[in-house]
Amino acid sequence: MNAEVEVVVTGVGAVTCHGVGAGELWRAMTAAGTRLPDRPADPLALMDLPLINLVPDLDLPGLDPTSERATRFASLAAAEALADAGLDADALDAVRSAVVLGSCMGEPGVNERERGGQRWEPPFRLASALADELGLFGTALDVANACAAGGYALGVAMDLVRAGEADVVIAGGSDAYSRVALGCFNRLGAVDPERCRPFESDRAGTVFAEGAGVVVVESAAHARARGALDFGDKRVLSLDGVGWSCDGDHPTAPREDGEQIVRAMRRALGEPPYDVGCVVPHGTGTRLNDVLESRLLRRVLGAGAGGGAGPVPLYSLKALLGHAGGASAALGVVAGALILRHGVVPGNVPVKEQDPECEVWLPERAVPLGVRRVLVNAYGFGGNNASVVLAAADGSSSVGGSDG
């Protein structure tokens, strides 16, 4: 492993409840509208709150209509990311390529369509399906670290590049509707009956969402050799650092002291001072998560993480999209890339009344991005923690790590 190898992000793609494409995501981010959740057309969703933000109809040319939803999301997002990076199948075939995708549930559809059916399919086959579609024969890896899976996938991608095992990695996350997952959250009492409302005083849980976020990760040397660093529109960004950690303390809740969450953030941020221009928080809307993350952001970034002098703006992505499970961190990275490219932090979906225990700044109007560096956080059941830092690829930022 060579930690001195510079790793860049050259392309991004997204599929969300607002439509297909990173452009649609950016339009939704700048509009900051409130989206009420959907009710899936599933007669077996016998639960109190069958609420989820669904991706619109995907009856699009070129899509395999027999493939499962999460696979289709990943395929669309990857196609956009590769086009954004200026790469095609021939270019991928000529280099060492890999696919790493994170997911909470993988492809649950086949196994959930009927009760007591005789057919069972391994759900975690997203990466192999995408690699097969692209004609790739290198590493194809599914990551299943709960809702931090997309963040771990970015860390694996960075490690593959720094270890010299891949020149280009298609990395991200994808999750689709799962009756089992939604039923479990209903049993936990963790579904908000209104919508996903991170940091609001009367929030009552989260609301799941479908979606996929995919980025193209390369060594800077490979990107430079093919002319990708010659773009004049600041599309190429540095994957500055990825930090992993695990609490191992409780099946669903993080440790109260937050030590491992802090460790992941600091590992991703590299050497202090920990300067960032924006944070895309995990911010699920659950009572415990939002308060703990707010407190730990202030601990790592200083008082500026709140509303004091020199505050760091937060962009609360789940208020806009809902909680996309294993895709949430990857979508956070795509959102962070768009913020860096445009040089502005969009206004958040308005918060009715912010929880006084969540001392963070959620600007409701767009603010200029000061420091060209974005921190993305993701936490999952089982104590899985991941933080990712993106920065302007100008060589001015400190390089963080890629492991726990």
Side-chain angles (χ1 to χ4, degrees):
M1 187 76 63
N2 185 355
E4 299 304 314
V5 172
E6 185 182 359
V7 183
V8 295
V9 171
T10 54
V12 301
V15 175
T16 74
C17 60
H18 294 280
V20 176
E24 290 299 320
L25 173 57
W26 182 250
R27 278 187 280 275
M29 289 170 69
T30 53
T34 297
R35 187 193 191 283
L36 297 179
D38 307 297
R39 289 178 174 262
D42 180 358
L44 297 179
L46 304 177
M47 57 193 79
D48 292 336
L49 296 169
L51 304 178
I52 183 172
N53 290 353
L54 297 171
V55 167
D57 183 24
L58 289 179
D59 185 17
L60 300 173
L63 276 180
D64 179 0
T66 65
S67 63
E68 297 291 335
R69 287 180 71 80
T71 299
R72 299 169 84 188
F73 300 160
S75 175
L76 284 168
E80 181 186 20
L82 288 167
D84 190 34
L87 291 167
D88 57 20
D90 291 338
L92 290 175
D93 189 53
V95 299
R96 295 168 299 176
S97 303
V99 178
V100 186
L101 293 176
S103 183
C104 275
M105 301 301 292
E107 274 298 4
V110 172
N111 301 324
E112 292 187 9
R113 286 197 185 99
E114 298 181 8
R115 290 181 177 176
Q118 298 301 309
R119 183 184 176 191
W120 185 88
E121 294 284 347
F124 289 97
R125 57 189 189 274
L126 298 175
S128 60
L130 182 57
D132 181 62
E133 177 186 320
L134 296 172
L136 305 181
F137 295 93
T139 298
L141 178 65
D142 280 279
V143 180
N145 292 67
C147 296
Y152 275 77
L154 267 292
V156 172
M158 173 179 266
D159 282 352
L160 287 170
V161 171
R162 285 183 167 175
E165 296 185 17
D167 302 304
V168 177
V169 184
I170 301 159
S174 182
D175 257 312
Y177 167 68
S178 165
R179 185 193 316 127
V180 170
L182 189 51
C184 288
F185 266 67
N186 268 263
R187 290 294 298 273
L188 287 169
V191 178
D192 192 300
E194 183 177 336
R195 58 182 177 85
C196 192
R197 299 177 292 150
F199 307 106
E200 280 199 4
S201 290
D202 62 346
R203 65 193 183 282
T206 196
V207 171
F208 277 133
E210 294 186 312
V214 173
V215 300
V216 175
V217 176
E218 303 182 55
S219 67
H222 179 266
R224 187 176 295 109
R226 68 181 185 88
L229 299 189
D230 297 333
F231 292 143
D233 57 358
K234 303 293 186 184
R235 281 194 291 165
V236 176
L237 303 169
S238 171
L239 182 54
D240 228 27
V242 183
W244 304 343
S245 69
C246 185
D247 299 336
D249 185 60
H250 189 275
T252 61
R255 283 177 59 94
E256 288 186 14
D257 61 18
E259 288 296 333
Q260 293 303 317
I261 290 175
V262 168
R263 180 185 180 193
M265 281 195 277
R266 287 178 173 165
R267 178 67 181 172
L269 288 163
E271 296 298 322
Y274 301 130
D275 292 332
V276 294
C278 175
V279 176
V280 180
H282 186 56
T284 58
T286 55
R287 301 297 304 179
L288 177 61
N289 175 87
D290 293 357
V291 172
L292 181 62
E293 187 174 16
S294 298
R295 174 163 56 84
L296 298 178
L297 281 170
R298 291 178 63 84
R299 178 173 161 186
V300 172
L301 302 180
V312 177
L314 267 63
Y315 184 76
S316 179
L317 187 62
K318 290 180 181 65
L320 182 78
L321 304 182
H323 188 352
S328 59
L331 282 166
V333 170
V334 172
L338 296 174
I339 288 169
L340 282 162
R341 287 181 176 184
H342 290 275
V344 64
V345 181
N348 283 276
V349 174
V351 175
K352 288 182 294 187
E353 181 183 359
Q354 187 167 332
D355 186 341
E357 291 191 79
C358 298
E359 295 183 75
V360 291
W361 183 33
L362 299 164
E364 292 191 7
R365 294 185 179 182
V367 296
L369 182 68
V371 179
R372 288 180 58 81
R373 205 162 179 240
V374 176
L375 169 66
V376 180
N377 287 333
Y379 314 125
F381 282 0
N384 291 290
N385 311 305
S387 292
V388 181
V389 175
L390 282 179
D394 56 8
S396 63
S397 55
S398 61
V399 178
S402 61
D403 61 18

